[in-house]
Amino acid sequence: MKKLLILFITLSLNIACSKDDNNSSNNPTTSNGLSVKINGVLWEGSILGNMLDESSEQFVVNSLNQKSNEVFGFTMDYYDGPGAYPKAKDNLAFVSYARIDKNIFLNVSGTAFVVNVTNVETVAGVKKVHGNFSGTLKSVAGEVLLFTEGKF
């Protein structure tokens, strides 16, 4: 139940914040950015949320591309320090990308997605993860997208 609540909050934040601040930077070279190539095309977004909760062993990262109003994010369980996620025992690892054409891509059966946490920082008392990622996501219609060179 706790995982579903975190998922709901994550999606709600993505939707609620998608139109709030038109002055946010989309520069992934700052600590507030995320970048990835989607099928070879660079996608950049501002990080809306980045939180590590060691008591629940979960971390969440969500990003918004202000120009296209597209969102990308992931939630992973069983955090135990820097390394590759999801862990084998994580049955609810969640990765999503909502495209401008309203297609939503998820890490469903037949897809693989890896998030590598390389370091953790504490900002104003909140722990944040940083690293890289890659993998594939699939839409309900069956379209598959390849994510490469992801950084957050």
Side-chain angles (χ1 to χ4, degrees):
M1 183 67 169
K2 186 175 184 179
K3 292 177 185 183
L4 291 176
L5 179 60
I6 289 175
L7 174 62
F8 175 75
I9 291 169
T10 300
L11 291 173
S12 297
L13 279 173
N14 279 337
I15 294 166
C17 295
S18 67
K19 296 181 182 175
D20 282 355
D21 184 8
N22 290 331
N23 295 323
S24 292
S25 169
N26 283 333
N27 184 357
T29 61
T30 69
S31 63
N32 293 326
L34 180 146
S35 67
V36 63
K37 288 186 179 177
I38 302 174
N39 287 349
V41 177
L42 182 64
W43 187 94
E44 298 175 324
S46 298
I47 293 181
L48 300 173
N50 181 338
M51 181 185 77
L52 165 61
D53 181 5
E54 290 177 300
S55 66
S56 67
E57 301 177 325
Q58 296 178 321
F59 64 90
V60 176
V61 175
N62 290 300
S63 182
L64 167 70
N65 179 299
Q66 286 277 320
K67 294 176 186 170
S68 66
N69 249 356
E70 296 175 336
V71 292
F72 170 80
F74 47 85
T75 302
M76 300 287 162
D77 285 336
Y78 300 104
Y79 178 81
D80 61 2
Y85 294 87
K87 299 295 184 187
K89 60 185 174 182
D90 189 350
N91 294 324
L92 293 175
F94 183 74
V95 184
S96 67
Y97 169 61
R99 201 167 59 188
I100 187 73
D101 62 6
K102 301 192 191 282
N103 278 312
I104 297 175
F105 296 81
L106 304 169
N107 58 322
V108 295
S109 179
T111 64
F113 211 94
V114 175
V115 176
N116 292 300
V117 174
T118 57
N119 63 31
V120 176
E121 71 172 331
T122 302
V123 178
V126 176
K127 290 190 175 185
K128 300 177 181 225
V129 293
H130 299 283
N132 55 68
F133 59 90
S134 63
T136 57
L137 298 179
K138 191 177 197 179
S139 73
V140 174
E143 182 181 358
V144 175
L145 297 179
L146 176 63
F147 292 72
T148 58
E149 300 177 39
K151 298 177 220 159
F152 62 99

